[in-house]
Amino acid sequence: MTERFNVAVVGAGYWGPNLARNFAASPDWNLAVVCDLDLQRAQQVSDRVGGVPVSQSLDDVLADPAIDAIAVATPARTHHPIVMAALDAGKHVSVEKPLADTVDRGAEMVDRARANDLVLLTDHTYCYTPAVMKIRELIADGSLGDILFIDSVRINLGLIQPDVDVLWDLAPHDLSIIDFVLPGGIDAATVAAHGADPLHTGKACVGYLTLPLAGGAIAHVHVNWLSPTKIRQMVIGGTKRTLVWDDLNPQQRLSVYDRGVDIAEQSKVTTTDARAANISYRLGDTWSPALPEQEALSNMTAEFAASIREKRTARTDGASGLRVLSVLEAAKSSLGAGGAPHPVQNTTIERVS
Amino acid sequence: MTERFNVAVVGAGYWGPNLARNFAASPDWNLAVVCDLDLQRAQQVSDRVGGVPVSQSLDDVLADPAIDAIAVATPARTHHPIVMAALDAGKHVSVEKPLADTVDRGAEMVDRARANDLVLLTDHTYCYTPAVMKIRELIADGSLGDILFIDSVRINLGLIQPDVDVLWDLAPHDLSIIDFVLPGGIDAATVAAHGADPLHTGKACVGYLTLPLAGGAIAHVHVNWLSPTKIRQMVIGGTKRTLVWDDLNPQQRLSVYDRGVDIAEQSKVTTTDARAANISYRLGDTWSPALPEQEALSNMTAEFAASIREKRTARTDGASGLRVLSVLEAAKSSLGAGGAPHPVQNTTIERVS
Amino acid sequence: MTERFNVAVVGAGYWGPNLARNFAASPDWNLAVVCDLDLQRAQQVSDRVGGVPVSQSLDDVLADPAIDAIAVATPARTHHPIVMAALDAGKHVSVEKPLADTVDRGAEMVDRARANDLVLLTDHTYCYTPAVMKIRELIADGSLGDILFIDSVRINLGLIQPDVDVLWDLAPHDLSIIDFVLPGGIDAATVAAHGADPLHTGKACVGYLTLPLAGGAIAHVHVNWLSPTKIRQMVIGGTKRTLVWDDLNPQQRLSVYDRGVDIAEQSKVTTTDARAANISYRLGDTWSPALPEQEALSNMTAEFAASIREKRTARTDGASGLRVLSVLEAAKSSLGAGGAPHPVQNTTIERVS
Amino acid sequence: MTERFNVAVVGAGYWGPNLARNFAASPDWNLAVVCDLDLQRAQQVSDRVGGVPVSQSLDDVLADPAIDAIAVATPARTHHPIVMAALDAGKHVSVEKPLADTVDRGAEMVDRARANDLVLLTDHTYCYTPAVMKIRELIADGSLGDILFIDSVRINLGLIQPDVDVLWDLAPHDLSIIDFVLPGGIDAATVAAHGADPLHTGKACVGYLTLPLAGGAIAHVHVNWLSPTKIRQMVIGGTKRTLVWDDLNPQQRLSVYDRGVDIAEQSKVTTTDARAANISYRLGDTWSPALPEQEALSNMTAEFAASIREKRTARTDGASGLRVLSVLEAAKSSLGAGGAPHPVQNTTIERVS
């Protein structure tokens, strides 16, 4: 039987209870302690998982040699100091998104994890849903061919947030998913962001992101707090097949269309007009893969353990969190500049090392 | 009984037969002649409507004092000379979209029609469907309140056109509809266009348009030739209600949601954070108005006759064609500039007179 | 402030915990005790609601003068003795469906409750969902006009039950809902039941019920354990409007169609052929009422308290449970007779008193 | 190149024009003459297909040795004399449904065709749609396994017919499709029919048919003229897979679910209760086959020619028309008897020969 790792959940607010419940139920983990400055809140989380120890002191937790890893669910601005301290104490770390409050601080965290040979996992929870894991698999095994476009829509009546606009509130979901399913992750050199605040709330309530991808492809995200119709849909067009993910249709979440536009091979060297003439349609079957019923966070805890055990980076590693953060920062600049495309900071781990 | 007007259909290609059929069936019109350089083609059109006279000579048609109006369905680059000649001959004119091949020529046509007191109608056929006419009515009578956002999606597998990109092929539908339903028409000062050509066909096959509207609202259009899933949907959010038009759902094309985000009145003078606290949700009924079964072109011929009879501009007048053309030209420039927002030429009739 | 009634939950198996949770959370009730022969099971239920007293003895519970009511969630064959004892001890009773294991025993329970002036509520939980309560209201206020037909479909992959067939497993939902929304309840004089057991499990896995209603109307129920497509839909046609309830469409559960078939008034005395000529269609709007988010069981506990307080029968009283049971018994006989219609035992309270 | 057969279309009413158009466009056929007692009506049909000869005399048509076949589209009560005369004149025959006005007359027609070695095709047009042809193929090749149940729903606002009830108006579609896709056709020994006439029109406007099939399977049909919601859906459950045909969803008409209920093999000899314990679920992929765009009548004319050329019975032969007619007649008797199951006349060709 495999040994269990000891984990401390740090932060007992909104997301901490979910982390605690999933680590407690995992065969890979032993939930060793719940840590929060507010001890009563830590105790409430502990009570719901059968009463594990609680602590008010992060220092104590990090000083404990029995602790293998920490799962950080504190406000974004505290991620940098907590994660850096944990990495310096030799702990593996999972951290809620966004990775950090600035790209520079996030890059420092990624570097430190690498330097210390520790796992740093960004908890892009959505990536661990069965649907998204299946999409990643279908792209990785070539089922879709080369990716031509990704169009993601996430709209609903949403509470207007006091501190962030709709892009920072909702688009991280879409961006982390796009980063997860694309081999190599998001590689956009620029991003253009458009927003509107028609209710004059002081921040964008409707937002659009456009990201040119390598090879002429494009990704586009529409997020919206003001729509009474709820849509959560992503269309991913490939040279071989096209996939539609409709997250609100539990009976058929994923549809893979064996249809598309073909270009006759010889035309690739001909002139534009000749090419147009050589384009034809393929009308094939549609296929909807069965998806297992799994909780995303349970898959995340398994991946966290596996990456530690196998001494590799996690599927949603620090670098992925950094790429998402870089796009969001660039989007903010583009929005401020009236929608002109803005360069995305090149934040590959190679850059900083 | 009302007198019928005599109309000549000019151009017997793709759209001419539809015009001929509808004018022939209209109680307002007498289809007097079908005119085309290719007399055989004109005859074929004539045969299908019971054998009206045909002509090869536009000059003859325009010289005939019995002809009240002409309906032009020739290629876009010929619209300017044909329409100008007709207006100078004192004929009312309906013309296929796009109004002209450049904004400047289009503006000249609009001016001439005005100067000569003649009707110039741009045949934005979609605007005459029962669904779009109902949307216009619901906005005009205040049912939706102030418009906050318009999001239009028109995607499908589409034949890649030899001469135009996806924006010029499909977006005119969306733009003409938006122009039609907004009181005062599209008033965007700028447009940002993003496109992708991932199959390297030489022109954009995926396109996005973003138009900031007056008062902080926004319009957005997504057109796509590469999607095997067909979507034709427009969401129009207002301060009072939100409307969804799903053109592929014949059983419920229009849904009006009496739901939305409310801002408490007193908060309008408070700070941003205070505002957020005063925003609340309204979850009311949904309502789907019954729509009559009507052919759009039949409604167009009726409007053409009514505007002549009542000596007023048509609902889809030359100015509306000019506004749509201006947005398309600006979009082309934005696309060429990598997506940076581009000013829309101010083409109101007042400007040119 | 209104006084709270003291209630004992009897039976801590599958449904008991839900009852306990809702009574505990209700402003109308004080959950006084959880009673089960298996004390450990009772304790587990108690723990989840903050630790109320538990008991192994029904006699003790019934002997306690502080207890106003009991909520019975024990196996069907035990309903009769438990409920009769409770009624004789002067307690109000809510009881899980089916009311009893035979119509005769059920009738005895209904009589006793009436004789003792006590409330007997059958827990037809589905009737307390916001959708079904709205349907009842729309029929009661005349919005649908006279009811012409009710067609109910409830199909899904379902675990084949060891003791009951698909009719007894699923149709009680449909029948109790139909009974609830029809003013006066189900008044079918006969029922025809058809079933199939194509997997040779020893009991019907596919079932159909047909119930002629008063005035020439009809109700029909389709239940099926073998369908991989899940459908839960009820269509209720009326002379004025028709309602569709799609329980799997949370965005639009109820649709009311202001469409239908009209018969010209004068034709009602004419011959059949003349009538046909006088029938016309009405194509009006569709309307989808907003529904509140409420837990059905919470509404049930409120109704139980209200009926006690107002000294009236409950909306889902014993008589309704008896009508549903009578239809099920008759259906069993019809099924045994190869589908020939079988009389439904006349079980109105008037009959037995 | 294959020789074309000469066909006469007999009857120029509602359906005749469609037959004429499809025979005229077929590579297998030469439309030789259009025959109707009303010569003007015949001429109108002829005009629309380029002007073929017309005739008022069926005798002349049948006496013409150049005519290979006739396609009969006259009222049902005239089918028997026309078809018998044509068969005696040595002509192959296609005939509109219903095959005849009584089962006995239909049986005589089937016998005569057989005796004279001529093709007799019942024009069950729906069977020649791509969707239904695909369903037949999927059942024939074993993709669905053994059929467990068929549930067909065809409801809509429908004009109340002067001469037939809803069962005779709509159910022939469902029955002919079920007969077509089941290997061996409908083999029900009895049928139970339930109907309702809540508007007192003198005939059933809501109808249900239940047909026990061989091996414990069941078929059920729901037809309804009074529903404002249009549904055309057929669910076919098999031991291996289940198929759903939604004819109103052009984007995904057929869905094949690789899901179902499995029974462990060894349990087949055990007791009922043991069996229940051995039943489990299979949750596999869903698959939607691409369907070609084809007009059903065009496929029918091809099949008519192929069956003549290959000297075999047609896919929708006279016997299939006879089976559908037998079920309808039995349904009428069942309806008259208040819904008691009624024997279906055994009308296999073997019986009468």
Side-chain angles (χ1 to χ4, degrees):
Chain A
M1 193 197 133
T2 338
E3 198 192 7
R4 288 170 183 239
F5 297 114
N6 290 308
V7 66
V9 166
V10 177
Y14 168 65
W15 199 244
N18 294 325
L19 290 172
R21 180 170 49 79
N22 275 278
F23 279 111
S26 166
D28 296 311
W29 294 95
N30 172 45
L31 176 58
V33 58
V34 175
C35 178
D36 197 292
L37 289 176
D38 179 338
L39 205 57
Q40 196 181 345
R41 218 160 59 158
Q43 190 60 52
Q44 284 169 348
V45 171
S46 164
D47 285 350
R48 282 193 254 169
V49 293
V52 301
V54 297
S55 167
Q56 244 176 329
S57 162
L58 180 64
D59 289 346
D60 289 357
V61 168
L62 296 183
D64 182 347
I67 298 293
D68 299 297
I70 70 167
V72 180
T74 59
R77 69 179 181 285
T78 68
H79 287 180
H80 181 265
I82 292 176
V83 171
M84 292 301 277
L87 292 172
D88 286 341
K91 312 300 185 196
H92 302 284
V93 176
S94 81
V95 58
E96 290 317 293
K97 69 179 171 53
L99 179 65
D101 50 350
T102 72
V103 170
D104 287 342
R105 286 203 193 90
E108 207 183 338
M109 290 152 66
V110 171
D111 285 349
R112 188 66 54 87
R114 193 179 215 207
N116 295 5
D117 264 334
L118 292 165
V119 168
L120 173 60
L121 179 148
T122 312
D123 182 13
H124 290 153
T125 315
Y126 238 118
C127 299
Y128 293 101
T129 58
V132 176
M133 288 171 76
K134 188 73 187 180
I135 295 172
R136 177 184 163 106
E137 186 187 315
L138 289 169
I139 293 178
D141 71 12
S143 295
L144 300 191
D146 297 331
I147 299 308
L148 303 175
F149 68 88
I150 301 181
D151 187 85
S152 189
V153 179
R154 184 177 305 272
I155 71 180
N156 195 11
L157 280 190
L159 210 48
I160 289 158
Q161 301 293 321
D163 47 352
V164 295
D165 67 10
V166 72
L167 288 169
W168 280 77
D169 181 37
L170 296 182
H173 295 301
D174 307 275
L175 294 171
S176 63
I177 293 166
I178 294 171
D179 186 78
F180 185 73
V181 302
L182 285 179
I186 291 183
D187 59 3
T190 63
V191 61
H194 302 280
D197 175 23
L199 291 173
H200 309 295
T201 65
K203 62 190 74 74
C205 296
V206 180
Y208 297 97
L209 294 182
T210 310
L211 297 101
L213 301 178
I218 192 168
H220 187 268
V221 174
H222 172 201
V223 286
N224 191 323
W225 279 335
L226 306 180
S227 167
T229 298
K230 190 174 180 177
I231 303 179
R232 287 192 189 173
Q233 188 177 60
M234 191 180 280
V235 184
I236 304 181
T239 46
K240 290 171 72 176
R241 293 189 187 81
T242 295
L243 180 149
V244 176
W245 170 33
D246 181 354
D247 203 37
L248 300 184
N249 182 357
Q251 300 219 44
Q252 191 170 333
R253 265 184 232 280
L254 293 188
S255 301
V256 182
Y257 295 84
D258 192 11
R259 300 182 209 163
V261 181
D262 281 337
I263 300 195
E265 207 47 39
Q266 72 276 27
S267 74
K268 291 201 170 162
V269 292
T270 63
T271 67
T272 301
D273 276 8
R275 288 209 68 168
N278 282 305
I279 281 169
S280 63
Y281 293 86
R282 199 169 7 93
L283 290 170
D285 296 352
T286 303
W287 168 69
S288 174
L291 297 173
E293 292 287 334
Q294 293 170 341
E295 189 173 358
L297 265 186
S298 164
N299 288 336
M300 185 279 277
T301 63
E303 168 68 4
F304 190 19
S307 55
I308 295 171
R309 195 170 285 130
E310 300 165 15
K311 297 183 194 306
R312 58 169 174 82
T313 56
R315 284 181 166 194
T316 56
D317 59 2
S320 68
L322 196 51
R323 286 190 296 269
V324 170
L325 191 57
S326 298
V327 171
L328 287 171
E329 268 199 9
K332 194 174 185 176
S333 299
S334 171
L335 200 61
H342 193 89
V344 176
Q345 200 175 335
N346 177 358
T347 53
T348 58
I349 191 74
E350 285 72 26
R351 178 187 61 84
V352 287
S353 59
Chain B
M1 192 196 136
T2 338
E3 199 192 4
R4 287 168 184 243
F5 297 113
N6 290 307
V7 68
V9 166
V10 178
Y14 168 66
W15 199 244
N18 294 324
L19 289 173
R21 179 169 50 78
N22 276 279
F23 279 111
S26 165
D28 295 310
W29 294 96
N30 171 48
L31 176 58
V33 59
V34 175
C35 177
D36 198 292
L37 290 175
D38 180 339
L39 206 56
Q40 196 181 345
R41 217 159 60 156
Q43 191 60 52
Q44 284 169 347
V45 172
S46 163
D47 285 351
R48 281 193 254 168
V49 293
V52 301
V54 297
S55 167
Q56 245 176 326
S57 161
L58 179 63
D59 289 347
D60 289 356
V61 168
L62 296 182
D64 182 349
I67 298 294
D68 300 297
I70 69 166
V72 181
T74 59
R77 68 179 182 284
T78 68
H79 287 178
H80 181 264
I82 293 175
V83 171
M84 292 301 276
L87 292 171
D88 287 341
K91 312 300 185 196
H92 301 284
V93 176
S94 81
V95 59
E96 289 318 293
K97 68 180 171 55
L99 178 66
D101 50 350
T102 71
V103 169
D104 287 342
R105 287 202 193 92
E108 207 182 339
M109 291 153 65
V110 171
D111 285 349
R112 190 66 54 90
R114 194 183 213 205
N116 295 5
D117 264 336
L118 292 165
V119 169
L120 173 60
L121 178 149
T122 312
D123 182 13
H124 289 154
T125 314
Y126 239 118
C127 298
Y128 293 101
T129 57
V132 176
M133 287 171 76
K134 188 74 185 180
I135 295 172
R136 175 183 164 106
E137 187 186 316
L138 289 169
I139 293 179
D141 70 12
S143 296
L144 300 193
D146 297 331
I147 300 308
L148 303 175
F149 67 90
I150 301 181
D151 186 85
S152 189
V153 179
R154 184 176 305 272
I155 70 179
N156 195 10
L157 281 189
L159 212 47
I160 289 158
Q161 302 291 322
D163 47 352
V164 294
D165 66 10
V166 72
L167 286 170
W168 280 77
D169 182 37
L170 296 183
H173 294 302
D174 307 275
L175 293 172
S176 63
I177 293 166
I178 294 171
D179 186 79
F180 185 72
V181 302
L182 284 179
I186 291 182
D187 58 3
T190 64
V191 60
H194 303 279
D197 176 23
L199 292 173
H200 308 295
T201 65
K203 63 190 72 74
C205 296
V206 180
Y208 297 96
L209 295 181
T210 310
L211 297 102
L213 302 178
I218 191 168
H220 187 269
V221 174
H222 173 201
V223 287
N224 191 323
W225 278 335
L226 306 179
S227 167
T229 297
K230 190 173 180 177
I231 303 180
R232 287 192 187 173
Q233 188 176 63
M234 191 180 280
V235 184
I236 304 182
T239 46
K240 289 171 71 176
R241 293 190 186 81
T242 295
L243 180 150
V244 176
W245 171 32
D246 181 353
D247 204 37
L248 301 182
N249 182 358
Q251 300 219 45
Q252 191 169 334
R253 266 185 230 280
L254 293 188
S255 301
V256 181
Y257 295 84
D258 192 11
R259 299 183 210 164
V261 181
D262 281 336
I263 300 195
E265 207 48 39
Q266 70 276 27
S267 73
K268 290 201 171 161
V269 291
T270 63
T271 68
T272 302
D273 276 7
R275 287 208 70 168
N278 282 305
I279 281 167
S280 62
Y281 293 86
R282 198 170 6 95
L283 291 169
D285 296 351
T286 304
W287 167 69
S288 175
L291 298 173
E293 292 287 336
Q294 294 170 341
E295 189 173 358
L297 265 186
S298 164
N299 288 337
M300 185 280 278
T301 63
E303 168 68 6
F304 190 19
S307 55
I308 294 171
R309 195 170 286 129
E310 300 165 14
K311 298 184 193 307
R312 58 168 174 84
T313 56
R315 284 182 166 193
T316 56
D317 60 3
S320 68
L322 196 51
R323 285 190 296 268
V324 169
L325 191 56
S326 298
V327 171
L328 287 170
E329 268 200 10
K332 194 175 187 175
S333 299
S334 171
L335 200 61
H342 193 90
V344 176
Q345 199 175 334
N346 176 0
T347 55
T348 58
I349 191 74
E350 286 70 27
R351 177 189 61 84
V352 288
S353 57
Chain C
M1 193 196 136
T2 337
E3 198 192 4
R4 288 171 182 240
F5 296 114
N6 290 307
V7 67
V9 166
V10 178
Y14 168 65
W15 199 244
N18 294 325
L19 289 174
R21 179 169 50 79
N22 276 278
F23 279 111
S26 165
D28 296 311
W29 293 95
N30 171 47
L31 177 58
V33 59
V34 175
C35 177
D36 198 293
L37 290 175
D38 180 339
L39 206 57
Q40 196 181 345
R41 216 159 59 158
Q43 190 60 51
Q44 284 169 347
V45 171
S46 163
D47 285 351
R48 281 194 253 168
V49 293
V52 300
V54 296
S55 167
Q56 245 176 327
S57 162
L58 179 63
D59 289 346
D60 289 357
V61 168
L62 297 183
D64 183 349
I67 299 292
D68 300 296
I70 69 166
V72 180
T74 59
R77 69 180 180 284
T78 68
H79 288 179
H80 181 265
I82 292 175
V83 171
M84 293 300 277
L87 292 171
D88 286 341
K91 313 300 185 195
H92 302 283
V93 176
S94 81
V95 59
E96 288 319 292
K97 68 180 172 55
L99 178 66
D101 50 351
T102 71
V103 169
D104 287 341
R105 287 202 193 92
E108 208 183 336
M109 291 152 65
V110 171
D111 285 349
R112 189 66 54 89
R114 195 184 212 204
N116 294 4
D117 265 336
L118 292 165
V119 168
L120 173 60
L121 179 148
T122 313
D123 181 14
H124 290 154
T125 314
Y126 239 119
C127 299
Y128 294 101
T129 58
V132 176
M133 288 172 75
K134 188 74 184 182
I135 295 172
R136 176 183 163 106
E137 185 186 316
L138 289 169
I139 293 179
D141 70 12
S143 296
L144 300 191
D146 297 332
I147 299 308
L148 303 174
F149 68 90
I150 302 181
D151 187 86
S152 189
V153 179
R154 185 176 304 272
I155 70 179
N156 195 12
L157 280 191
L159 211 47
I160 289 158
Q161 301 292 321
D163 47 352
V164 295
D165 66 9
V166 71
L167 287 170
W168 281 77
D169 182 36
L170 296 182
H173 295 301
D174 307 275
L175 294 172
S176 64
I177 293 167
I178 294 171
D179 186 80
F180 185 73
V181 302
L182 285 179
I186 291 182
D187 59 2
T190 64
V191 61
H194 303 279
D197 176 22
L199 292 174
H200 308 296
T201 65
K203 62 190 72 75
C205 297
V206 180
Y208 298 97
L209 294 182
T210 311
L211 297 101
L213 301 178
I218 192 168
H220 187 270
V221 174
H222 173 202
V223 285
N224 191 324
W225 279 335
L226 306 179
S227 167
T229 299
K230 189 173 181 177
I231 303 180
R232 286 193 189 172
Q233 189 176 61
M234 192 180 279
V235 184
I236 304 181
T239 47
K240 290 171 70 175
R241 294 190 186 82
T242 295
L243 179 149
V244 176
W245 171 32
D246 182 352
D247 203 37
L248 301 182
N249 182 358
Q251 301 219 42
Q252 192 169 334
R253 265 184 231 280
L254 293 188
S255 301
V256 181
Y257 294 84
D258 192 10
R259 299 183 210 163
V261 181
D262 281 337
I263 301 194
E265 208 46 41
Q266 70 276 26
S267 73
K268 291 201 172 160
V269 291
T270 64
T271 69
T272 301
D273 277 9
R275 286 209 69 169
N278 282 304
I279 282 168
S280 63
Y281 293 86
R282 200 170 5 96
L283 291 169
D285 296 352
T286 304
W287 167 69
S288 175
L291 297 173
E293 293 287 336
Q294 294 171 341
E295 189 173 358
L297 265 186
S298 163
N299 288 337
M300 185 279 278
T301 62
E303 168 68 5
F304 191 18
S307 54
I308 294 171
R309 195 170 286 129
E310 301 165 13
K311 299 184 192 306
R312 58 167 174 85
T313 57
R315 285 183 166 193
T316 57
D317 60 2
S320 68
L322 196 52
R323 286 190 297 268
V324 169
L325 190 57
S326 298
V327 171
L328 287 170
E329 268 199 10
K332 195 175 186 175
S333 300
S334 171
L335 200 61
H342 194 89
V344 176
Q345 200 175 333
N346 178 358
T347 54
T348 59
I349 192 73
E350 286 71 27
R351 178 189 60 84
V352 288
S353 57
Chain D
M1 192 198 136
T2 338
E3 199 192 5
R4 288 170 183 240
F5 297 113
N6 289 308
V7 67
V9 166
V10 178
Y14 169 67
W15 199 244
N18 294 325
L19 290 172
R21 179 169 50 78
N22 276 278
F23 279 112
S26 166
D28 296 311
W29 294 94
N30 172 44
L31 177 58
V33 58
V34 175
C35 177
D36 197 294
L37 290 175
D38 180 338
L39 206 56
Q40 195 181 347
R41 219 160 57 158
Q43 191 60 52
Q44 284 169 348
V45 172
S46 163
D47 285 351
R48 281 193 255 167
V49 294
V52 300
V54 297
S55 167
Q56 245 175 326
S57 163
L58 179 63
D59 290 346
D60 290 357
V61 168
L62 296 183
D64 182 349
I67 299 292
D68 300 296
I70 68 166
V72 180
T74 59
R77 68 180 182 283
T78 69
H79 287 181
H80 181 264
I82 292 176
V83 171
M84 292 302 277
L87 292 172
D88 286 341
K91 312 302 186 197
H92 302 283
V93 176
S94 81
V95 59
E96 288 319 293
K97 70 177 168 54
L99 179 65
D101 50 351
T102 71
V103 170
D104 287 341
R105 288 203 191 90
E108 208 183 336
M109 291 153 65
V110 171
D111 284 349
R112 190 65 55 87
R114 193 181 214 203
N116 294 5
D117 265 335
L118 292 165
V119 168
L120 173 59
L121 179 148
T122 313
D123 181 14
H124 290 154
T125 314
Y126 238 118
C127 299
Y128 293 101
T129 57
V132 176
M133 289 173 75
K134 188 74 186 179
I135 295 173
R136 176 183 163 105
E137 187 187 316
L138 290 170
I139 293 179
D141 71 12
S143 296
L144 301 192
D146 297 332
I147 300 308
L148 303 174
F149 68 90
I150 302 182
D151 186 87
S152 189
V153 179
R154 184 176 305 273
I155 70 179
N156 196 10
L157 280 190
L159 210 47
I160 289 158
Q161 301 292 320
D163 48 352
V164 294
D165 66 10
V166 72
L167 287 169
W168 281 76
D169 181 38
L170 297 182
H173 295 301
D174 307 275
L175 293 172
S176 64
I177 293 166
I178 294 171
D179 186 79
F180 185 74
V181 302
L182 284 179
I186 291 183
D187 59 2
T190 63
V191 61
H194 302 279
D197 175 23
L199 292 173
H200 309 294
T201 65
K203 60 190 74 74
C205 296
V206 180
Y208 298 96
L209 294 181
T210 311
L211 297 101
L213 301 178
I218 192 168
H220 187 269
V221 174
H222 172 201
V223 286
N224 191 323
W225 280 335
L226 306 180
S227 166
T229 298
K230 191 173 181 176
I231 304 180
R232 287 190 187 174
Q233 188 176 61
M234 192 179 280
V235 184
I236 304 181
T239 47
K240 291 171 72 175
R241 292 189 188 83
T242 295
L243 180 149
V244 176
W245 171 32
D246 181 353
D247 203 36
L248 300 183
N249 182 357
Q251 301 219 42
Q252 190 170 333
R253 266 184 230 281
L254 293 188
S255 301
V256 182
Y257 295 84
D258 192 11
R259 298 182 211 165
V261 181
D262 281 335
I263 300 195
E265 206 48 37
Q266 71 276 26
S267 74
K268 291 199 172 163
V269 292
T270 64
T271 67
T272 301
D273 276 8
R275 287 209 69 168
N278 282 304
I279 282 168
S280 63
Y281 293 85
R282 200 169 6 92
L283 290 170
D285 296 352
T286 304
W287 167 69
S288 175
L291 298 173
E293 292 287 335
Q294 293 170 342
E295 189 173 359
L297 264 186
S298 164
N299 288 337
M300 186 280 279
T301 63
E303 168 67 5
F304 190 19
S307 55
I308 294 170
R309 195 169 286 128
E310 300 165 15
K311 298 184 194 307
R312 58 168 174 83
T313 56
R315 285 181 166 195
T316 56
D317 60 2
S320 68
L322 197 49
R323 284 191 296 270
V324 170
L325 192 56
S326 299
V327 171
L328 288 170
E329 268 199 9
K332 194 175 186 175
S333 300
S334 171
L335 200 60
H342 194 89
V344 176
Q345 201 175 336
N346 176 358
T347 54
T348 60
I349 190 75
E350 285 71 26
R351 179 188 60 84
V352 288
S353 60

